[in-house]
Amino acid sequence: MSSPERWTAARPDTPAATAATPTAEQVIAGLRATSEGGADLVQLLTPEGERVTHPDFDIDIEPAQLRALYRDMVLVRRVDRESNALQRKGELGLWVPLLGQEAAQVGAGRAMKPQDMAFPSYREHGVAFCRGIDPADLLGTFRGTDHGSWDPLEKKFGLYTIVIGNQVLNATGYAMGQRFDGKVGNTDGNGNHADDDEATIVFFGDGATSQGDVHEGFVWAAVYDAPLVFFCQNNQWAISEPTERQSRLPLYQRARGYGFPGVRVDGNDVLACLAVTQWALEECRRGNGPVLIEAFTYRMDAHTTTDDPSRYRLSDEVEEWKLKDPIERVRAYLARNGLAEHSFFEEVQAESDELAERLREACVNIPNPPPERIFANVYAEPNPVLDAEREELMSYLASLEDVHSGGEH
Amino acid sequence: MSSPERWTAARPDTPAATAATPTAEQVIAGLRATSEGGADLVQLLTPEGERVTHPDFDIDIEPAQLRALYRDMVLVRRVDRESNALQRKGELGLWVPLLGQEAAQVGAGRAMKPQDMAFPSYREHGVAFCRGIDPADLLGTFRGTDHGSWDPLEKKFGLYTIVIGNQVLNATGYAMGQRFDGKVGNTDGNGNHADDDEATIVFFGDGATSQGDVHEGFVWAAVYDAPLVFFCQNNQWAISEPTERQSRLPLYQRARGYGFPGVRVDGNDVLACLAVTQWALEECRRGNGPVLIEAFTYRMDAHTTTDDPSRYRLSDEVEEWKLKDPIERVRAYLARNGLAEHSFFEEVQAESDELAERLREACVNIPNPPPERIFANVYAEPNPVLDAEREELMSYLASLEDVHSGGEH
Amino acid sequence: MAAPTLEPTAKAAKPQTITMAKALNAGLRAAMEADPKVLIMGEDVGKLGGVFRITDGLQKDFGEHRVLDTPLAESGIIGTAIGLAIRGFRPVCEIQFDGFIFPAFDQIVSQLAKLHYRSQGKLRVPIVVRVPFGGGIGSVEHHSESPESYFAHTAGLRVVSCSNPVDAYWMIQQAITSDDPILFFEPKRQYYSSKAELDTSATPQPLHTSRVLRTGTHATLVAYGPSVKVCLDSAAAAAEDGIELEVIDLRTLSPLDLGPVYDSVRKTGRLVAVSESPMEASLNSEIATRVSQECFYSLQAPVLRVNGFDTPYPPSKLEEDFLPDLDRVLYTVDRSLAW
Amino acid sequence: MAAPTLEPTAKAAKPQTITMAKALNAGLRAAMEADPKVLIMGEDVGKLGGVFRITDGLQKDFGEHRVLDTPLAESGIIGTAIGLAIRGFRPVCEIQFDGFIFPAFDQIVSQLAKLHYRSQGKLRVPIVVRVPFGGGIGSVEHHSESPESYFAHTAGLRVVSCSNPVDAYWMIQQAITSDDPILFFEPKRQYYSSKAELDTSATPQPLHTSRVLRTGTHATLVAYGPSVKVCLDSAAAAAEDGIELEVIDLRTLSPLDLGPVYDSVRKTGRLVAVSESPMEASLNSEIATRVSQECFYSLQAPVLRVNGFDTPYPPSKLEEDFLPDLDRVLYTVDRSLAW
Ligand SMILES: Cc1ncc(C[n+]2csc(CCOP(=O)(O)OP(=O)(O)O)c2C)c(N)n1
Ligand SMILES: Cc1ncc(C[n+]2csc(CCOP(=O)(O)OP(=O)(O)O)c2C)c(N)n1
Ligand SMILES: [Mg+2]
Ligand SMILES: [Mg+2]
């Protein structure tokens, strides 16, 4: 006996992960699987720019707010494209493009309250933007001048984390701390929800869901009722590996096994991402966390500037997703419904040009760190052994000229 | 919005894991939670020894087979009690009791075909017995003379694994290998299922479910359709921590998030354990793996001989479970239905006395390993550096007398 | 035990005799009373008080939100402790046994050790990871290991080990107040056998300093944790044969405080380094290398090492031959003297 | 590059010039053709051919069941490889970058290194773990580390590192045929810069042996992996100043083959050990310790070490000062000569 009702069976639209060289049907099925979110997908703005309603996650939004979201996405995309270009010019050693994921990141970023904390992976330039981090401050890591330059506590935005999954446990601990600090589930004098309650949101990818640390984060957050939103950007690819290398099921269903909500949202629909993340963060602030959100989106560019996607994915797939562009649908909706003047779009365009210009400027002017920096902040307290190593390097550097002249030899 | 239908909500009978000092209601709820398996519990023989049917997992069983299962459980329990006594007498450094888990282990062990592979944790003495391992061969590890003495490939029973969770990934790889070797989903000439197809079963506890390795095993097994049965013995405790420290949900529901079956079986009902595990292994051999089984049972004794359960659990709980004894219900059923003579029970008793005697004998006669053993089999191939260390120890040991006399000083 | 002769407690008011286990428990309690941000996390550290009872009674007195019985996963323990530290807490994590720290290795090496550096000092992760370590307890596999060298090799971590109740009491408190992550190695087989008089009014010596426990002229023994007692016993035995051995307790494994060792070797000309850990690329290798450099002209014999062998920890019936003991130490001292 | 002068290829028939990347790819291909039980596992090793293209084309030619694109989790990669090895396969696992091996540390230390010992030889786990390691590629954090000492400190593992295409081609095949688990460290920054003539008909030297690459009389340089080229360049530069440096490529890090180093130091009286890894409790500590013992009376100066510093790997703009280079090696040689 083995009936699908009894437990969650693999979706018909997810091809068997062990499929050898795929058949034509499977290729098409695969295309559909990565381009359609399925029945449970939460969407409020269609790719064609039509506003649709949703029974659970609808949202009232002012035209001004929608224009602001549009502006955010345009600026974020410009930052991404400009940084990509800077890498091509040799000004950056590496860049990690977010192209295509603007809606997921701006929707999530704008759903946060100032007191909420975010823990990013390494692709969350859009969330960083929403947290008020100057895009120029993102570049040091990719230029090789620092490992992260902003103050994570001041900006409430953690440093980029490269080891897949690590930040999920760190975010879980931070969220546990919010609860231990009594910042969850409070009410004010009139019995209304206190508006200084806090939540945490952690970002990771579809590939990351396979890591033990992500599972342990799910376990801890559930057991400690942590006010934590697990925000998984399923951009369909982990470098060259499609999502079915990681799971039989749609990733939002992973939450079922832990006993907390899992929601799949159209990650290219900034409205839906905003609505679902606002709801999830509020659930957490009220003490009903954790919550898993799978933002169903697509990595339109290479994994990083060193990657060559043509080796592992079909251009048809990329073409499919171009039709679902997160910015275009908002532009269409704003324009069609007369919610934005032509001048508005021009202003945003001009603003993004300025931003790009500033970014180029800032990038080439990032000072190279001095050699002493190698030893700075390894420890918070004195370490004589390390001090000796620093002195050794310093005296060596001072002596370099002589060595070069080779006089001694 | 937040409706339980949308996702699996915490069961009402599992108290909030973050509950501080529990209320009386919670204590009672807790008692119920750990003594009742809930609606989905698969049971074929009630604690009172009544045979009940089950729509999915019923099984035809000969009286002789049932008597054999009874015998297995009695002998396994005797091995456990005798070994526990040997530790008390100082003949073993440690013992890990299985008392109370006989049905889960004998049911699972007897469901295996000769060609199936098992990967144990450290408490699976009952499974070892079913795999034909001489109970005396289990003792070396606990006496400190070896780290495991049987041949895992010959017995198709891995060595005990102490690092929680590790063996789950190793078992997953082995099961992947069975598939790669073409030992899964075959049919004979007449289109019947080939009877030399293979499966693997891996044993772990409730606490182990929190480990990243167990999650990664779930991910790999699902993605590679591995013929693997995840057999979780939920004995309600991870040393001093109750299961709600590990999960909000009943553990068998964890499988829902991965897209393979999860079944909760009465772990004190040897018939149900046999039926469910036979089904699960067959599913795997046919290529429908993996499957998760949660055997709902209870650790009647201490975690190990060094543990003191009185520090963390109520004796009422233990009393509750005494009423569900896995052996008693079979004895009652056999006797009441005239399926076994009084002489049968006496024979089994006598046999267990002999076994105990043999075990005592064997234990005290296990030879101490020679010092060279420290260096034996660290590597399969020569290692001169290690050879030098061995020589050093040997010449030192040879010189010991002189050193003692201290003449040189 | 050397403790009674230790400076700090010499001027003891009404000193009490306590075990290392009790000293650690008292030190943890004092730290939790001193700072409400101090948390204790780990497996079975609550109701049970830990399998060694080091945290006995703390959950009862400080509550479930200060003493956390965590789910069973070490990466989760360290990973969430890091988040709690970023939030402003000072978690003290217990790893149940030395052999079970490895699931947490990635969080320790990739995050715990690097966050302060990565953030240019903006993030502090003042976490203490308590590890009962070492052998000689007749236990099963993974319960008797000495993994300290892995962490001494890891930049960004501090590593210390106590060898007696008095140090245990003070060092755990000093470690908890440190703003750097610290691996704290406790010689588990001495939890209850090691007793000493503790004067809680004494002034402890700084955490990251080693200490001469016994002075001698013929050769120097350097050790830490469980091997310190072995060295003291060896020195006592050697003295009966007229051999005066100087014994130094390292106490701090990273950063190393080798000044006293250099001074001693310049005097004795001979050094034997003792540790239970495997030998290859270990702390004893580092000590030997540095002493060979610093005391190049003073050494009358090469630095000799007495270590556990480069094998997995053997079945416990063999640990007597595996572990450095008085005989093997004196045998090696003889080799050094005969060089 | 030293390779063209290496013995094995001297008598080359029609040798072809290839990069280290291509040599590894050819070696893997040869091993897979020789034994159907050889599997390749890892992240992106299939269609993509690995981020460094070391497994390029292998999945296409050998199929998805011989070259596995695994889920994204290193513990899973090593843990399942162990099960496959127990089943009779010979998995070759790729860890994408040095800094990502730590999630697998527990499976490597607790299972991979111990199964043969635990089973008294009944279980063999012939697994090769390929690790592109070392810095100098201008990358972001965790992509330039040198974790080899952790594994040299772990009993039950073998550790090797290649420094040129010819060794790469032979050593990967020798490692795959070994019945012990082997950590195989590849100097990633030389994947494409290091070229040499490869004669596949030559007879390779045994895997666990070091090799003298250049003879000299004034001092000895010992290194492995990426630092070998640094040492050869240093020796060439020193020669112009009339300083003859002997250069030894360790090749095997566990077990160490220090015989040639002892012989060399007995001749030169001076040794400088070069490695990118942190210094504390590292392989260089072990080398210095053993040479200080074995060559106690021959050393005219203490063994000096040139290592990466005991800090996390710095932002890449600083790696030039962090990594041992020709200048720092020669500066240290001068210190040794001036001792
Ligand atoms: C532990 C670890 N293993 C491997 C890598 C190399 N790596 C970097 S990104 C990546 C794929 C991540 O995919 P996903 O989680 O989907 O995130 P995405 O890059 O698509 O945003 C891999 C394998 C890493 N950074 N960390
Ligand atoms: C990685 C690891 N951490 C901690 C331990 C110590 N330990 C041994 S058994 C145990 C509890 C295991 O509970 P469970 O998984 O439910 O299995 P059970 O002992 O109840 O059969 C713990 C924490 C261990 N062996 N391995
Ligand atoms: Mg992805
Ligand atoms: Mg249990």
Side-chain angles (χ1 to χ4, degrees), chain D residues 20-36:
Chain D
M20 187 183 293
K22 187 85 196 66
L24 287 164
N25 180 270
L28 288 168
R29 178 177 291 276
M32 294 185 78
E33 279 162 355
D35 182 350

Side-chain angles (χ1 to χ4, degrees), chain B residues 144 147 211 240-241 311 389, chain C residues 44 56 70 74 310 313 317:
Chain B
H147 288 325
Q211 281 285 6
S240 72
E241 300 194 20
R311 294 177 65 100
E389 289 188 19
Chain C
D44 308 293
D56 190 23
T70 67
E74 287 70 17
D310 288 298
Y313 200 86
K317 289 280 189 201

Side-chain angles (χ1 to χ4, degrees), chain C residues 156-171:
Chain C
L157 302 175
R158 292 173 182 271
V159 185
V160 301
S161 184
C162 55
S163 70
N164 63 74
V166 176
D167 277 358
Y169 176 77
W170 294 117
M171 288 171 75

Side-chain angles (χ1 to χ4, degrees), chain A residues 17-21 91 93-94 141-147 160 162-164 207-208 210-212 238-241 245-246 306-308 311-313 368-375 378-379 385-386 389-390 392-393 395-397 399-400 403-406 408-409, chain D residues 42-49 51 53 56-57 64-65 68-75 96 99-100 103 138-143 237-238 241-243 279-280 305 308-319 321-322 325-331 334-335:
Chain A
T18 50
T21 42
E91 293 296 339
L94 182 82
T141 298
F142 300 99
R143 189 176 170 87
T145 55
D146 61 54
H147 289 325
Y160 279 176
I162 290 172
V163 182
I164 300 293
S210 294
Q211 281 285 6
I239 305 187
S240 72
E241 300 193 20
R245 300 304 312 152
Q246 317 290 343
T306 61
D307 178 38
D308 171 13
R311 292 178 67 102
Y312 54 79
R313 71 184 186 186
N368 282 348
E372 303 89 305
R373 178 70 61 76
I374 290 173
F375 302 91
V378 177
Y379 297 94
V385 172
L386 197 57
E389 288 188 20
R390 185 183 55 246
E392 206 179 305
L393 175 63
S395 54
Y396 154 70
L397 289 175
S399 75
L400 256 191
V403 177
H404 272 301
S405 76
E408 278 79 17
H409 295 234
Chain D
E43 296 152 6
D44 309 292
V45 295
K47 261 207 185 117
L48 184 61
V51 295
R53 308 294 186 266
D56 190 23
E64 287 198 347
H65 283 84
L68 283 64
D69 269 330
T70 67
L72 204 177
E74 288 70 16
S75 189
Q96 201 161 75
F100 308 138
S139 190
V140 293
E141 222 185 338
H142 310 289
H143 289 68
D241 303 318
I243 309 289
M279 186 159 64
E280 294 283 333
R305 298 176 290 177
F309 300 103
D310 289 298
T311 74
Y313 200 86
S316 59
K317 289 281 190 201
L318 289 165
E319 67 187 342
D321 288 325
F322 179 86
D325 63 0
L326 183 147
D327 289 328
R328 195 137 65 93
V329 168
L330 292 182
Y331 170 82
D334 288 344
R335 281 182 51 217

Side-chain angles (χ1 to χ4, degrees), chain B residues 19-20 143-144 146-147 207 211 238-241 245-246 311 368-370 374 385-386 389 396 399 404 409, chain C residues 43-44 48 53 56 64 69-72 74 96 241 280 309-310 313-318 327-328 331 334:
Chain B
R143 190 175 169 87
D146 62 53
H147 288 325
Q211 281 285 6
I239 305 186
S240 72
E241 300 194 20
R245 300 305 310 151
Q246 316 291 342
R311 294 177 65 100
N368 282 348
I374 291 173
V385 172
L386 197 57
E389 289 188 19
Y396 154 71
S399 76
H404 273 300
H409 297 236
Chain C
E43 295 152 5
D44 308 293
L48 184 62
R53 309 292 186 267
D56 190 23
E64 287 198 348
D69 270 331
T70 67
L72 204 178
E74 287 70 17
Q96 201 162 76
D241 302 319
E280 293 284 332
F309 300 102
D310 288 298
Y313 200 86
S316 58
K317 289 280 189 201
L318 288 165
D327 289 327
R328 196 139 64 93
Y331 170 81
D334 288 344

